[in-house]
Amino acid sequence: RARDTVAGNLESLAKRGRLPEGLAPLDEMLRTSTRMADVAGANLIIEAVWESMALKKTVFGELDRHADADALLATNTSTLDIDEIARSTARPESVLGLHFFSPAHVMGLLELVRGERTRADFVAAGLDLGRRMRKTTVVVGVCHGFVGNRLFIARDREAVRLLYEGALPEQIDRVLTEFGLPMGTFDLADMGGGIELGYRARQDRGEVEPVGDRLFLAGRLGQRTGKGFYRYEPGKRRPLPDPEVTQIIEAVSREMGIERRRFTDDELRERLILPMINEGAKLVEEGMVLRASDIDVVWQKGFGWPDWKGGPMYHADRLGLAAVHERLLALQERHGERFRPAELLRVLAAQGRTFTGELAADTAAA
């Protein structure tokens, strides 16, 4: 199956004229095996199994037994703790994260996750790999979701809360696409298998999200099953609002004792975008990125953030950090601690400074 997938991808690239001339036959470039011992001799090994910590630790324990002593051991995890994975080996200094955005042969972004003990020369090797693969590579630290998914998770958790309070998937997604993003939260979940991925991740963590859980248990897994947060006509990918989903959401609201209400688009946009900015500020504050603009690069290259808005942190600078801080305080007062402004945001707002240093708030307002 892996060989067929690679062959299909190469064939597709060839039809579009995107393969170099004189490329060796696939059989000369690719060797497949189901035996872990066959990783011996490789100088770089990238694990890409299911997003389960227990499974990944098992795999890295096996890699530790069979890989060459100087091999670089990389994980493609999109959220999990690289340092915990590394501790399942006797050589944590050889482990780092290489998070390729999906589909990996198309997307131009690579998050290189540097672990607590990752060797500097292995980080350099990862950067060189990204360069040779023509990827934009951003070095990030170890935290849940790294850079791209940490902001993504903050936004999507708020999107689910908005469902509980009265919004519907189609309204939330429309607000995000009108903002300039290529897809909304729930449309993307249907396309990328997010309902099943989210359910299994919550099962591993012992968590519950009643809307997503009910969709999964009802067999509503997204486009591939013809229904998820939306319904789909046979052979079509256009998301259509589904009264059955509305009924599920409204039932959850009743059970949670939440009185549903109407939202304006401005309210939704604020509650979806400002948590992303705040999470980005925390990443800078925690030293997870070298500079705020790295967050913008990740979101432009990996998630399709509109170029004319420059990325979440640049967008915050355009809004004015004092205004962002003020709105987060108002949201905190109304909705709770999840909206508490990051300390760095408070400091920069008070000093009249910006995240990117490229645009002062008073210039943006002019």
Side-chain angles (χ1 to χ4, degrees), residues 36-37 40 48 83 95 125 210 239 241 251 319 330:
M36 187 68 78
D83 292 329
V95 177
L319 294 174

Side-chain angles (χ1 to χ4, degrees), residues 17-18 44 51 69 107 119 138 142-143 172 175 188 227 242 250 304 320-321 325 361:
R18 296 183 59 185
L44 168 64
E51 196 78 341
M107 297 296 287
R119 284 168 37 181
V138 178
V142 177
C143 61
I172 291 170
V175 166
L188 182 60
K227 56 184 181 179
D242 192 335
E250 289 176 345
L321 298 194
H325 183 258

Side-chain angles (χ1 to χ4, degrees), residues 195-196 199-200 211-221:
I195 292 172
E196 181 175 6
Y199 178 81
R200 296 193 183 282
V211 172
D213 292 355
R214 291 181 195 193
L215 293 178
F216 175 83
L217 295 173
R220 303 186 64 106
L221 305 183

Side-chain angles (χ1 to χ4, degrees), residues 201-216:
R202 289 190 297 275
Q203 290 288 296
D204 284 347
R205 299 192 300 266
E207 297 176 359
V208 172
E209 193 288 285
V211 172
D213 292 355
R214 291 181 195 193
L215 293 178
F216 175 83

Side-chain angles (χ1 to χ4, degrees), residues 57-243:
K57 289 168 74 171
T58 298
V59 169
F60 270 79
E62 288 294 303
L63 290 177
D64 195 29
R65 290 177 51 206
H66 297 291
D68 290 2
D70 59 350
L72 195 166
L73 309 182
T75 173
N76 185 50
T77 181
S78 59
T79 59
L80 299 178
D81 187 336
I82 303 293
D83 292 329
E84 184 174 348
I85 294 171
R87 286 193 291 270
S88 64
T89 75
R91 40 172 148 174
E93 68 281 356
S94 300
V95 177
L96 55 69
L98 292 176
H99 176 214
F100 293 86
F101 280 65
S102 182
H105 66 291
V106 173
M107 297 296 287
L109 179 68
L110 173 62
E111 278 184 323
L112 193 162
V113 190
R114 181 174 190 163
E116 183 181 27
R117 296 181 59 183
T118 306
R119 284 168 37 181
D121 59 327
F122 279 6
V123 173
L127 286 167
D128 184 60
L129 174 70
R131 179 188 58 79
R132 288 188 287 131
M133 296 180 73
R134 299 180 181 178
K135 303 285 188 186
T136 298
T137 306
V138 178
V139 178
V140 302
V142 177
C143 61
H144 184 70
F146 314 129
V147 170
N149 279 324
R150 182 158 162 183
L151 270 67
F152 186 84
I153 290 167
R155 188 195 77 191
D156 283 11
R157 283 179 174 167
E158 196 60 32
V160 171
R161 290 187 181 99
L162 288 164
L163 291 182
Y164 301 157
E165 294 177 30
L168 290 174
E170 55 268 28
Q171 184 187 10
I172 291 170
D173 284 354
R174 177 180 54 77
V175 166
L176 289 171
T177 54
E178 288 180 356
F179 178 79
L181 290 163
M183 298 183 76
T185 288
F186 303 108
D187 189 7
L188 182 60
D190 275 2
M191 185 195 73
I195 292 172
E196 181 175 6
L197 290 169
Y199 178 81
R200 296 193 183 282
R202 289 190 297 275
Q203 290 288 296
D204 284 347
R205 299 192 300 266
E207 297 176 359
V208 172
E209 193 288 285
V211 172
D213 292 355
R214 291 181 195 193
L215 293 178
F216 175 83
L217 295 173
R220 303 186 64 106
L221 305 183
Q223 287 185 11
R224 66 187 177 92
T225 60
K227 56 184 181 179
F229 283 101
Y230 298 96
R231 64 179 180 88
Y232 300 86
E233 299 291 348
K236 305 287 186 179
R237 293 188 177 185
R238 181 186 174 191
L240 301 171
D242 192 335

